[in-house]
Amino acid sequence: MVDKQVGWGAEHADVLVLGIETSCDETAASVVKGGRMILSNVIASQVELHRLYGGVVPEIASRKHIELIMPVIDLALKKAKIKPTDLDCIAVTYGPGLVGALLVGLSSAKAMALALGCPLIGINHIEGHIYANVLEHKDVEPPLVCLTVSGGHTDLLYIDAYGDYKILGRTRDDAAGEAFDKIARVLGLDYPGGPEIAKQALSGDPKAIDFPRGLIHEDTYDFSFSGLKTAAINHVHNLQQKGETLPISDIAASLQAAIVDVLVHKTLAAASAYKVDTILLSGGVGANEALRDQLRQDAQALGINLYYPSKVLCTDNGAMIACAGHYRFLKGQQSPWDLNAAPQLRLGDPV
Ligand code: KG4
Ligand code: ZN
């Protein structure tokens, strides 16, 4: 029985979906009921392990996923208080991401789906991030503009209807999260750099250093963060060569302001051009308070509603994958058994 029609597809209150996510350094599994009720959301983070190397080491990530995947799935089912046979389908990230990491989740999902005789649904990780908003905000309706900012992606999208993604702009080089992470490393801050920069920025002056805002005045929705990265690294090296103490909080605040300015400027320009009254923010960098605040303020001034997921659903998790899987399941979509990992998968590529 279909309960309700929403812009994202139909809901069905009883459908139970297991969502599996292993595209990077989080081994995650979640059971979601009816598309929006999170019964469990288990996330085993490998951050402490990769921190030793200043970033994600793909080989180590794959090996850790293989250790963690079954215990994480088992715990997700136990916390949801359901049996594997209760599941209606299994949704799994099949790209983009690290190939070895993706293969662990994908193989586990295939084995379970085959054993249970239920459908396997491959999900694009970026679509998953977008669905973190659908999961939490019942009133979100297309048409809208969505900014997805993570460690690997900076995509500005126009979404006219469910599943219909028009890519307005992308980063031409580094992703926003990657810029945070790389510059944090030069500053001697821990991985992942985004939250560390945000913490340091709280006591810094965002106007202390005038870092470049790549492409901000260009007639494009594309982004570029490589100039900012070079400027920040040069700034740090110059100070180090002069033997000066690094004003870490000022650098962090100025860097964060430069990234936020560009993201907010392009997003609002797109929202105005496409005349939408809704903006979605998603992805790990969407957890950034300065970005949320500036986007909210500037959107409000234009009468535009802004939605973003709670922090735990901004970064990688299985619930967003389960939610995206729910709507594909109700549309009767199913992936073939030979579905492969797609490390370079883009939004809009055929499933
Ligand atoms: O979505 P996500 O968990 O993984 C990818 O799909 O890449 O995003 C991780 C990225 C990292 O670059 C991390 O530094 C960044 O999100 N991030 C943040 C914050 N929390 C996570 N960046 C800025 N401020 C934050 N509070
Ligand atoms: Zn992600």
Side-chain angles (χ1 to χ4, degrees):
M1 187 196 75
V2 170
D3 296 316
K4 193 185 163 202
Q5 289 290 328
V6 292
W8 300 89
E11 288 179 28
H12 190 304
D14 301 325
V15 169
L16 283 172
V17 183
L18 172 67
I20 298 175
E21 157 61 42
T22 63
S23 66
C24 192
D25 58 349
E26 257 101 34
T27 317
S30 161
V31 178
V32 172
K33 186 176 176 181
R36 287 201 165 101
M37 191 191 292
I38 301 175
L39 300 187
S40 63
N41 192 21
V42 180
I43 305 168
S45 174
Q46 305 176 10
V47 159
E48 295 300 330
L49 199 60
H50 297 288
R51 192 168 276 159
L52 302 171
Y53 305 92
V56 179
V57 184
E59 169 96 13
I60 295 177
S62 314
R63 288 175 178 276
K64 207 64 198 168
H65 282 310
I66 204 86
E67 267 175 48
L68 292 170
I69 190 71
M70 292 322 291
V72 163
I73 291 174
D74 195 39
L75 188 58
L77 294 171
K78 284 204 173 98
K79 285 195 166 190
K81 297 190 172 57
I82 65 155
K83 303 188 291 300
T85 46
D86 296 332
L87 291 168
D88 291 290
C89 82
I90 298 186
V92 60
T93 304
Y94 73 105
L98 303 169
V99 66
L102 289 164
L103 285 171
V104 174
L106 187 53
S107 306
S108 312
K110 280 187 185 183
M112 273 190 81
L114 192 64
L116 295 169
C118 71
L120 169 82
I121 301 181
I123 299 293
N124 180 315
H125 182 77
I126 307 298
E127 185 173 56
H129 275 304
I130 297 167
Y131 269 85
N133 278 300
V134 179
L135 187 61
E136 288 198 304
H137 307 296
K138 263 182 179 294
D139 44 344
V140 165
E141 288 282 356
L144 53 86
V145 159
C146 176
L147 174 68
T148 303
V149 265
S150 69
H153 307 274
T154 306
D155 289 351
L156 189 57
L157 314 163
Y158 171 67
I159 303 177
D160 190 34
Y162 162 81
D164 183 8
Y165 306 111
K166 181 178 164 69
I167 315 279
L168 303 178
R170 287 196 160 112
T171 182
R172 294 185 184 173
D173 36 62
D174 290 344
E178 207 174 346
F180 273 116
D181 294 342
K182 286 182 177 167
I183 301 167
R185 194 169 169 172
V186 174
L187 291 173
L189 301 175
D190 273 346
Y191 173 82
E196 296 297 317
I197 298 261
K199 213 184 295 167
Q200 291 290 336
L202 289 174
S203 52
D205 174 7
K207 294 203 170 76
I209 306 138
D210 188 17
F211 283 131
R213 272 93 167 135
L215 302 177
I216 198 162
H217 297 303
E218 311 278 323
D219 186 20
T220 173
Y221 293 120
D222 279 353
F223 301 91
S224 169
F225 295 104
S226 64
L228 170 64
K229 187 181 68 186
T230 309
I233 292 172
N234 286 343
H235 186 83
V236 169
H237 286 170
N238 282 339
L239 291 174
Q240 282 169 335
Q241 271 164 8
K242 287 189 216 153
E244 291 182 25
T245 321
L246 288 182
I248 292 184
S249 48
D250 280 351
I251 298 175
S254 303
L255 166 75
Q256 180 175 264
I259 295 176
V260 167
D261 269 358
V262 183
L263 294 175
V264 171
H265 179 87
K266 299 272 176 193
T267 307
L268 287 172
S272 299
Y274 282 81
K275 299 184 173 49
V276 297
D277 58 12
T278 303
I279 292 176
L280 299 187
L281 173 63
S282 63
V285 180
N288 186 275
E289 294 287 355
L291 174 59
R292 290 173 168 207
D293 289 350
Q294 196 171 321
L295 201 49
R296 190 190 310 108
Q297 256 176 35
D298 293 6
Q300 256 169 15
L302 297 174
I304 298 172
N305 299 310
L306 170 69
Y307 297 88
Y308 44 76
S310 53
K311 287 193 178 172
V312 68
L313 295 180
C314 275
T315 45
D316 293 349
N317 64 87
M320 65 186 195
I321 303 301
C323 178
H326 173 91
Y327 293 105
R328 288 195 175 272
F329 172 74
L330 291 190
K331 285 184 168 255
Q333 296 177 358
Q334 187 171 350
S335 299
W337 291 118
D338 64 355
L339 179 70
N340 207 342
Q344 309 294 338
L345 187 68
R346 291 188 154 207
L347 210 52
D349 286 352
V351 183

